[in-house]
Amino acid sequence: EKGVNVPPGIAASTVAEAVAAAASFGDDEVVIKSQILAGGRGLGTFTNGLQGGVHIIKSSEVEDYAGKMLGGTLVTKQSGEAGKPVNQVLLAKKMDLVNEMYFAILLDRASGGPVIIACSEGGTSIEDLAEESPEKIVKVPVDPVEGLTDAQAAQVVEGLMVTGDKEVAKE
């Protein structure tokens, strides 16, 4: 609606659901993402030896990858040594990207309200980027009563280095 491409995705809890989800896109390739409550999935390792919890794969490989991911344990920088069980995977349509950005709205424990986290350099290893170059990460606390202001929206747009009509982007 506002010109932001967000790939369609379908969560799957079984291999059969994953295969059906991939088939519904009708494409030769899909993205399969382990769903765990920890960051760093793309660079994680499964205890069964599979490297990475996020893969761009051929649709014909979904059964194999889903079989290795579902029920497996993914170890990431944030999961701890024991890792986290993968009970769901997300199948997403593979997009031809011109630019990848990171955008999240999280609950900030310190303020008790939402905070927007954004970065123009995508989301892979966002935690590492935050450590190495914190100035590249935009953090905008949002008052839960007042909501997002025009000035805060402008701050996010600038931080994402949006090109094109910035007024439309703020909407």
Side-chain angles (χ1 to χ4, degrees):
E1 181 182 316
K2 299 291 183 183
V4 176
N5 289 326
V6 178
I10 301 171
S13 300
T14 68
V15 173
E17 288 175 358
V19 170
S24 74
F25 297 129
D27 295 333
D28 292 333
E29 291 184 312
V30 295
V31 181
I32 187 167
K33 300 179 179 188
S34 301
Q35 300 297 288
I36 63 169
L37 291 174
R41 296 171 298 163
L43 300 175
T45 302
F46 281 86
T47 56
N48 64 14
L50 179 64
Q51 295 294 311
V54 178
H55 295 272
I56 298 172
I57 58 174
K58 294 184 185 318
S59 293
S60 61
E61 298 175 311
V62 169
E63 184 174 1
D64 180 48
Y65 274 82
K68 290 176 181 172
M69 295 170 128
L70 287 167
T73 302
L74 182 58
V75 181
T76 73
K77 281 185 174 183
Q78 291 186 6
S79 71
E81 290 180 21
K84 299 281 184 186
V86 176
N87 299 316
Q88 270 193 332
V89 292
L90 180 72
L91 279 294
K93 186 172 181 67
K94 181 182 175 287
M95 306 290 282
D96 293 324
L97 302 177
V98 173
N99 186 24
E100 184 178 359
M101 298 177 190
Y102 179 84
F103 179 89
I105 301 174
L106 308 171
L107 181 60
D108 181 34
R109 291 183 184 139
S111 68
V115 61
I116 294 173
I117 309 289
C119 180
S120 64
E121 295 191 16
T124 304
S125 301
I126 193 77
E127 297 87 0
D128 293 338
L129 183 63
E131 284 181 23
E132 296 164 13
S133 303
E135 71 281 358
K136 294 181 179 180
I137 309 291
V138 177
K139 295 180 185 176
V140 179
V142 178
D143 184 295
V145 175
E146 184 179 350
L148 185 67
T149 66
D150 288 346
Q152 290 172 317
Q155 184 180 354
V156 172
V157 168
E158 288 299 318
L160 289 174
M161 298 181 191
V162 171
T163 58
D165 190 336
K166 293 184 179 184
E167 290 306 311
V168 170
K170 288 191 292 187
E171 293 177 13

